[in-house]
């Protein structure tokens, strides 16, 4: 132990923080070093002087409403609740993000798509479209106006004669 | 010395008196440290109350460990905040000597009356220390903290705390030698 280390050990010895093996080393050094013995004496003298000479003041009473232990527990619980809420939000976000990925993975694996899959909806839309266009065709064929279709043969010949005469 | 960590645990388990016990046991070291750091009664009282207020508000955040170190860390922060607010900030992030200022650093008149000449010299010697050394010295002598606790309060390695104490003691030895009699030199 050199003097610098010994002086640190002296400080630690005054605060009761020395291990037994450190104390033995310090005692051995002090038995051989007058300078460090003097340092230890001065440390004690300075500390005692300051402790005795400085004016003291009484601390005021703590004028604060002390919290009830229940309030502290509630505060601690709120910490747990916050954790639970954060976990739920994280799960929701991950679920939303994973949803479409999962359906695509099902399609890749050849698993029948769910009723809400894109291909199923597209197929259904296509068939609805076909049905609608067929219906429109039927309607248009029924409502096509042929002015001659509704006339009988006499009426038709009369009109033709009128046209020729004019 | 009471087991402060156990007191906090008891308080959380429903024993309302446990916190009062902790306050009663720690009021003198805490106030002694603040009073010697700040030097004016009114400011020391305010900082003392604010420190306990912060402790009470944040007691749910104390996750075990050393309660005294946690308490004095809060006091350390309150002292710095107060100094900043007053624009009279002690340079707690430097080991340099305090910069001489034009302000009057003498204690207030009521305190001057109460102090003896010896006390005034000691006060002046302590005030001449760099702020971090002064804080380490007062945490040790006034608050009775161990060096490991002081290291936790200042968030520094143990060796740095010991070094700051060593330099503080060396300077006080030099300035106050005639007051404590210099034991070995007086021997024949």
């Amino acid at each position: 132990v050199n003097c610098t280390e010994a002086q640190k050990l002296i400080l630690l010895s005054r605060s009761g923080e020395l291990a037994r093996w450190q104390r033995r080393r310090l005692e051995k050094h002090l038995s051989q070093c007058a300078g460090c013995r003097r340092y230890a004496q001065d440390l004690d003298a300075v500390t005692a002087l300051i402790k005795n000479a400085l004016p003291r003041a009484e601390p005021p009473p703590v004028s604060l409403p002390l919290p009830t232990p229940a309030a502290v527990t509630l505060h601690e619980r709120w910490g747990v609740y916050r954790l639970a809420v954060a976990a739920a939000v994280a799960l929701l976000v991950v679920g939303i993000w994973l949803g479409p990925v999962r359906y695509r993975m099902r399609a890749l694996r050849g698993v029948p798509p769910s009723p809400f899959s894109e291909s199923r909806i597209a197929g259904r839309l296509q068939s609805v479209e076909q049905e609608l266009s067929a219906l429109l065709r039927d309607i248009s064929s029924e409502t096509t106006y042929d002015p001659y279709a509704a006339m009988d043969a006499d009426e038709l010949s009369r009109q033709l004669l009128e046209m020729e005469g004019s | 010395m009471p087991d402060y960590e156990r007191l906090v645990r008891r308080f959380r388990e429903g024993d309302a008196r446990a916190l009062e016990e902790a306050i009663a046991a720690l009021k003198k070291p805490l106030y002694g440290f603040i009073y010697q750091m700040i030097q004016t009664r009114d400011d020391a009282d305010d900082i003392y109350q604010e420190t306990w207020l912060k402790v009470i508000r944040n007691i749910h955040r104390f996750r075990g460990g050393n309660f005294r170190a946690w308490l004095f860390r809060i006091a350390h922060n309150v002292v710095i905040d107060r100094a900043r607010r007053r624009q009279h900030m002690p340079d707690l992030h430097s080991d340099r000597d305090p910069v001489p200022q034009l302000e009057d650093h003498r204690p207030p008149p009521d305190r001057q009356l109460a102090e003896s000449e010896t006390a005034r010299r000691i006060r002046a010697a302590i005030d001449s220390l760099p702020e971090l050394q002064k804080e380490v010295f007062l945490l040790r002598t006034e608050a009775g903290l161990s060096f490991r606790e002081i290291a936790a309060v200042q968030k520094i390695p143990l060796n740095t705390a010991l070094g700051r104490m060593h330099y503080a003691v060396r300077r006080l030895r030099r300035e106050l030698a005639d007051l404590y009699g210099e034991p070995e030199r007086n021997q024949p």
Side-chain angles (χ1 to χ4, degrees), chain A residues 22-163:
Chain A
Q22 288 174 312
R23 185 171 295 281
R24 276 200 300 271
R25 291 177 72 185
L26 174 62
E27 281 166 1
K28 191 178 171 192
H29 179 86
L30 287 177
S31 67
Q32 299 160 353
C33 179
C36 286
R37 279 201 302 276
R38 171 86 190 280
Y39 177 85
Q41 285 174 329
D42 283 0
L43 171 67
D44 294 342
V46 167
T47 308
L49 175 74
I50 289 172
K51 277 202 157 217
N52 295 329
L54 280 183
R56 297 276 174 273
E58 274 298 304
V62 178
S63 56
L64 303 163
L66 296 181
T68 60
V72 175
T73 314
L74 190 68
H75 210 116
E76 283 171 351
R77 275 189 199 155
W78 171 232
V80 177
Y81 292 151
R82 271 191 300 191
L83 200 67
V85 169
V89 169
L91 272 176
L92 190 67
V93 169
V94 169
I96 289 169
W97 182 76
L98 274 182
V101 174
R102 192 168 146 255
Y103 282 114
R104 284 193 177 86
M105 293 296 286
R106 280 167 66 106
L108 280 174
R109 287 202 308 268
V111 178
S114 83
F116 302 106
S117 69
E118 286 174 22
S119 57
R120 188 79 179 261
I121 291 168
R124 181 72 188 135
L125 278 174
Q126 202 177 2
S127 67
V128 168
E129 195 182 344
Q130 282 168 359
E131 281 171 24
L132 272 175
S133 54
L135 193 64
L136 282 171
R137 260 199 317 277
D138 291 348
I139 291 169
S140 63
S141 65
E142 278 175 15
T143 55
T144 303
Y145 178 69
D146 181 0
Y148 302 109
M151 292 182 188
D152 58 15
D154 293 341
E155 181 61 21
L156 186 62
S157 58
R158 192 182 61 78
Q159 283 189 14
L160 285 170
L161 284 172
E162 275 177 13
M163 284 167 69

Side-chain angles (χ1 to χ4, degrees), chain B residues 53-106:
Chain B
L53 179 67
K54 288 198 169 182
V55 167
I56 290 165
R57 277 185 183 161
N58 294 293
I59 193 105
H60 61 280
R61 289 190 182 164
F62 176 66
R63 299 268 177 259
N66 189 316
F67 182 73
R68 278 205 312 176
W70 188 71
L71 168 69
F72 279 89
R73 174 77 195 167
I74 291 174
H76 160 97
N77 288 338
V78 176
V79 168
I80 293 176
D81 286 350
R82 176 60 63 101
R84 276 189 190 140
R85 260 185 270 151
R86 296 201 155 210
Q87 305 216 329
H88 175 65
M89 184 182 162
D91 193 2
L92 282 175
H93 299 288
S94 160
D95 268 335
R96 286 172 298 156
D97 283 359
V99 179
Q101 295 179 32
L102 295 175
E103 292 171 44
D104 186 358
H105 284 287
R106 282 176 303 177

Side-chain angles (χ1 to χ4, degrees), chain B:
Chain B
M1 190 168 70
D3 182 348
Y4 298 108
E5 292 75 37
R6 196 162 152 266
L7 285 176
V8 173
R9 224 173 21 248
R10 264 177 48 201
F11 175 71
R12 284 173 170 176
E13 286 164 2
D15 183 356
R17 290 189 57 79
L19 191 61
E20 290 176 40
E21 254 181 74
I23 291 175
L26 286 164
K27 65 181 182 183
K28 280 197 173 176
L30 178 65
Y31 190 75
F33 163 70
I34 294 170
Y35 183 56
Q36 301 303 344
M37 278 294 285
I38 296 300
Q39 298 178 48
T40 56
R41 186 73 199 251
D42 287 347
D43 284 350
D45 286 3
D46 286 352
I47 290 172
Y48 177 73
Q49 298 287 353
E50 198 178 332
T51 301
W52 281 119
L53 179 67
K54 288 198 169 182
V55 167
I56 290 165
R57 277 185 183 161
N58 294 293
I59 193 105
H60 61 280
R61 289 190 182 164
F62 176 66
R63 299 268 177 259
N66 189 316
F67 182 73
R68 278 205 312 176
W70 188 71
L71 168 69
F72 279 89
R73 174 77 195 167
I74 291 174
H76 160 97
N77 288 338
V78 176
V79 168
I80 293 176
D81 286 350
R82 176 60 63 101
R84 276 189 190 140
R85 260 185 270 151
R86 296 201 155 210
Q87 305 216 329
H88 175 65
M89 184 182 162
D91 193 2
L92 282 175
H93 299 288
S94 160
D95 268 335
R96 286 172 298 156
D97 283 359
V99 179
Q101 295 179 32
L102 295 175
E103 292 171 44
D104 186 358
H105 284 287
R106 282 176 303 177
D110 58 329
R111 184 154 172 160
Q112 283 183 40
L113 280 175
E115 286 184 359
S116 65
E117 178 58 33
T118 308
R120 270 199 292 276
R121 276 197 57 197
I122 292 171
R123 164 57 51 204
I126 292 174
D127 286 345
S128 73
L129 295 173
E131 287 296 329
L132 286 169
Q133 288 178 24
K134 177 179 162 184
E135 192 184 47
V136 169
F137 185 80
L138 292 175
L139 282 170
R140 177 73 206 111
T141 56
E142 289 295 316
L145 261 59
S146 69
F147 284 103
R148 282 178 179 82
E149 287 171 328
I150 292 170
V153 170
Q154 289 197 345
K155 292 193 171 175
I156 51 172
L158 175 63
N159 257 336
T160 310
L162 290 169
R164 284 176 184 166
M165 183 68 178
H166 174 74
Y167 286 117
V169 168
R170 204 169 68 172
R171 186 158 181 163
L172 293 173
R173 276 170 80 195
R174 200 171 54 233
E175 298 200 8
L176 303 173
D178 59 310
L179 290 179
Y180 62 83
E182 298 184 279
E184 277 199 353
R185 268 188 230 162
N186 291 346
Q187 285 174 6

